[in-house]
Amino acid sequence: MPRALLLENIDPVAADLLGSAGFATESLRGALDEADLIAALDGVDVLGIRSKTQVTAEVLRRRPGLAAVGAFCIGTNQIDLATAAGCGVAVFNAPYSNTRSVVEMAIAEIIILARRLVDRDRALHAGTWDKSAAGSHEIRGRTLGIVGYGNIGSQLSVLAEALGMRVLFYDLEDKLALGNAEACGSLEELLERAETVTLHVDGRAGNAGLFGAEQFARMRRRSLFLNLSRGFVVDHEALRDHVLSGHIAGAAVDVFPEEPREQGDAFGSVLRGLPNVILTPHVGGSTQEAQHDIGRFVAGKLVDYTGSGTTTLSVNLPTVALHGSSAARFALLHRNVPGVLARADALVGEHGLNVDGQVLATRGELGYAVTDVGAALPPELLAALQALPETVRLTTFGHRTG
Ligand SMILES: NC(=O)c1ccc[n+]([C@@H]2O[C@H](COP(=O)([O-])OP(=O)(O)OC[C@H]3O[C@@H](n4cnc5c(N)ncnc54)[C@H](O)[C@@H]3O)[C@@H](O)[C@H]2O)c1
């Protein structure tokens, strides 16, 4: 029976799915350090982690039986991806499971800022009745400018329009405008036209300092600003200056250039204490629903990989999905040099088997071929495939349909 070890309090749906697929699953609440992780992985086929467990080169080399790692989160920096690929360990994550959560928080914050509810709330908690319509606005009919029209930006576009906002967006790539949204030809154009600007760009290095004094100055007077993307994208000193001068009427910031590592750690920022500014501790994607979906999504990828060799959306292996029925299947992860597939197929033919279906993909130094054959795989063929000098990992699958 294959074994799965799930760390860091992963949503129970993951253990359920892996259990249904025939895994004996152990779940632990916390992370493990390197030595404990190596010990715990003895005999384990599949490891599930979140952001705290470091899957180092040492862990991967000491546990060659490990087939796959599921990162039940968005980021994969905690895993030595290159070593994992070199050891034939597939890594999967959940890049889209919290998209909706981020979008809902952005919508909520746009309304809260437009109504200046943060200041009303603070005043009332402090015992002051401050009932006034001054500076309070509906968002209906106002213009939202979305910078970065990817998964989050484009979904925000749809929900914002449903609330009656006019939507502009700017993306480096030529993106399909959803609904009545309008693409801007430049960031400058968006800043000059939008009344609320929200950042949803990705974390590429070139986006460091994307938004500073020049961009805030170019925004319309008394406009609103949100950043739920990456902390290093925004110059917080410049944002502070423009909030204090009144040029920016309010801001919501969920991500920071430096974020505390541990729960309960002290937090310092030049944005603390500013009027009509919402600060949240990188919780845009943190909902129970997102956690559940992450559990479902990543466990599904692990089940597909271990059951059929499918690597769709793997973050470190070539991505392959072979559909069809067959008596047997093998997946050959190999060094990406000329002639490996031809040699593997010749070996299949020499053992009297016909290739029913086959798909190959390459990624950098690795190639990955999944092959269906019409009869059971003889041990001599498997030994010959294993003995190919380019073989990194050979995996076999029994009779399968679909
Ligand atoms: N706050 C949170 O909890 C939270 C949760 C999930 C994601 N995020 C962050 O949100 C951001 C967006 O996530 P996503 O899934 O939509 O990513 P994505 O990759 O789908 O979309 C990013 C888009 O930004 C565009 N882009 C990149 N640089 C740009 C630039 N300089 N100007 C204009 N467009 C640019 C890209 O072309 C792409 O279309 C990421 O930075 C991600 O890390 C934050």
Side-chain angles (χ1 to χ4, degrees), residues 186-193 214-215 218:
S186 67
L187 178 60
E188 290 70 28
E189 180 193 340
L190 179 141
L191 299 180
E192 284 161 12
R193 293 177 60 194
E214 187 188 331
Q215 287 69 32
R218 212 178 260 269

Side-chain angles (χ1 to χ4, degrees), residues 74 95-99 101-102 105 146-155 169-175 187 199-204 206-208 210 227-233 254-255 259 280-286:
I74 314 301
Y96 315 121
S97 293
N98 62 9
T99 298
S101 300
V102 179
M105 192 161 110
I146 300 173
V147 183
Y149 205 65
N151 295 306
I152 293 172
S154 58
Q155 189 163 154
F169 69 88
Y170 170 68
D171 198 290
L172 293 178
E173 290 174 20
D174 196 358
K175 295 284 177 127
L187 178 60
L199 305 187
H200 300 285
V201 297
D202 55 49
R204 70 185 73 187
N207 282 339
L210 174 72
N227 182 22
L228 293 90
S229 63
R230 296 294 182 101
F232 65 79
V233 170
D254 187 46
V255 286
E259 297 182 358
T280 45
H282 204 148
V283 290
S286 303

Side-chain angles (χ1 to χ4, degrees), residues 99-163:
T99 298
R100 173 70 187 215
S101 300
V102 179
V103 169
E104 288 193 11
M105 192 161 110
I107 291 282
E109 291 182 331
I110 292 167
I111 296 173
I112 288 169
L113 293 174
R115 298 294 293 271
R116 301 191 73 85
L117 293 182
V118 177
D119 294 353
R120 300 279 182 276
D121 177 66
R122 281 180 191 156
L124 213 52
H125 273 287
T128 303
W129 187 260
D130 178 19
K131 179 174 161 58
S132 154
S136 245
H137 298 278
E138 292 183 353
I139 63 166
R140 176 174 51 173
R142 297 182 78 84
T143 305
L144 176 66
I146 300 173
V147 183
Y149 205 65
N151 295 306
I152 293 172
S154 58
Q155 189 163 154
L156 176 60
S157 167
V158 173
L159 266 71
E161 274 199 347
L163 287 167

